[in-house]
Amino acid sequence: MGIKEKIIEKKNGLYSFIINPKVVKLSCIGTAIVWILSLALAYLVAQLDPAGPPSDPAGFNLLINYISDLGNLDLTPMPIIIDFGMMQTSILMVPAAFYLRKMLKGDGSKLLRKILSNLTLICMLIAMCGLFLTGVISEDVGERLDTILGPPIPDYYWHDIVADFAFIFFMVSGILVASQFIIFPDLLENEIGLKHTTTVRVSLAINSWILTPIFFGFFYTVPYLWYTDAFWTYLPLWQWAPFWEWLLMFSLSAWLLVVLNFMLLKPINRELKSRQI
């Protein structure tokens, strides 16, 4: 067997392992558990953190603190919680992303379905790389990289870039998935086995097509907060940038957790059951 054949064999073996129903089921469940627990625990620790050093107020406020502030040693004593959660979640999500592509693609006879499913997988993989690097290049690490290497783009810093990759490509992935459920109605009915498909389509479309882009737009266009005499000055709610980032994160988490832990588990369980017969 030549080198090329060995590489193909290894690749096929790895792919078979990744889309194995047992592996994917653990992927879906693990993604939900790790992400929810790491986010909740990181928030709790930051919320209980007392005031100090001088610029660190007591507690954690969703209106004035960004998600990445949970990974800032100045604002929480344990930034490793959210950093590890981001890295681990992105790794755990890989098998689920490939299985989702398999489900969206079907038998591959429809060219548009094949193209959109592959595009969805590519966007999800880019987003997961962005999420992983957001954990690696936390606010603290990003600040040091900016000091040592300088920002890769003027006024566009290391941490911001990798976080934006995660936000943007998870948003695009959600739009693609919701669109495919609309374009190919048999996906929900035949591939997944849902009954109330209209409700699911409308809910996902509202979240992915409307709410997520609105939250994204406000987060990236509202004026940044200004800081005066150690107190955050009052701004109308729509101007609180961290507030919109949290809403953006919740909307992205909603479609990911619903699709990966509600929709994918149904065909996975059917496949596992059929293998036992």
Side-chain angles (χ1 to χ4, degrees):
M1 183 182 294
I3 296 177
K4 182 179 179 180
E5 288 76 14
K6 288 182 179 179
I7 293 175
I8 294 175
E9 184 181 2
K10 293 282 187 181
K11 184 190 73 172
N12 292 338
L14 178 61
Y15 180 73
S16 297
F17 172 77
I18 288 177
I19 64 170
N20 183 291
K22 291 183 179 179
V23 174
V24 179
K25 187 172 184 177
L26 290 175
S27 168
C28 294
I29 297 173
T31 296
I33 292 175
V34 170
W35 178 240
I36 293 174
L37 285 183
S38 62
L39 190 63
L41 185 58
Y43 176 81
L44 179 62
V45 171
Q47 186 64 37
L48 297 176
D49 182 37
S55 61
D56 175 21
F60 193 88
N61 191 329
L62 300 186
L63 290 177
I64 63 176
N65 292 120
Y66 293 94
I67 299 169
S68 295
D69 288 341
L70 293 174
N72 189 325
L73 193 57
D74 290 338
L75 299 173
T76 175
M78 298 185 68
I80 188 62
I81 298 175
I82 194 65
D83 295 339
F84 175 81
M86 290 179 178
M87 291 185 284
Q88 192 64 36
T89 298
S90 62
I91 295 173
L92 286 170
M93 205 183 298
V94 171
F98 276 92
Y99 195 89
L100 177 62
R101 192 278 298 265
K102 174 189 172 184
M103 185 193 70
L104 294 172
K105 181 181 177 182
D107 59 10
S109 60
K110 295 181 179 180
L111 180 60
L112 180 60
R113 191 163 162 177
K114 184 177 181 179
I115 293 173
L116 290 177
S117 63
N118 287 330
L119 186 58
T120 300
L121 175 63
I122 292 172
C123 288
M124 289 193 69
L125 291 177
I126 295 174
M128 286 183 282
C129 288
L131 182 62
F132 183 88
L133 290 174
T134 303
V136 174
I137 308 176
S138 62
E139 282 190 348
D140 292 336
V141 175
E143 288 175 1
R144 284 159 178 77
L145 281 176
D146 295 332
T147 301
I148 297 171
L149 302 176
I153 300 174
D155 297 323
Y156 196 18
Y157 304 102
W158 286 98
H159 176 79
D160 296 337
I161 288 176
V162 294
D164 286 350
F165 265 87
F167 277 135
I168 292 171
F169 283 95
F170 273 132
M171 179 177 67
V172 174
S173 300
I175 293 173
L176 286 170
V177 170
S179 299
Q180 288 168 86
F181 287 154
I182 297 292
I183 298 171
F184 310 111
D186 62 299
L187 279 173
L188 292 176
E189 298 168 358
N190 300 332
E191 299 290 342
I192 298 177
L194 297 181
K195 295 181 180 179
H196 305 291
T197 57
T198 301
T199 302
V200 175
R201 288 192 193 95
V202 171
S203 299
L204 282 175
I206 291 174
N207 182 70
S208 298
W209 291 356
I210 301 175
L211 295 181
T212 302
I214 288 175
F215 299 153
F216 179 86
F218 270 99
F219 171 54
Y220 281 96
T221 57
V222 298
Y224 286 106
L225 302 173
W226 53 83
Y227 196 82
T228 305
D229 297 328
F231 291 97
W232 292 101
T233 56
Y234 173 77
L235 290 172
L237 182 60
W238 67 270
Q239 289 183 297
W240 294 91
F243 172 74
W244 293 107
E245 185 190 36
W246 281 93
L247 288 181
L248 174 60
M249 184 275 293
F250 286 135
S251 67
L252 292 174
S253 299
W255 91 256
L256 284 167
L257 296 180
V258 167
V259 171
L260 300 185
N261 290 276
F262 174 62
M263 295 186 179
L264 283 192
L265 285 180
K266 292 180 73 66
I268 289 171
N269 288 331
R270 283 201 311 271
E271 188 173 348
L272 287 173
K273 187 176 180 180
S274 66
R275 293 189 178 191
Q276 295 173 355
I277 298 176

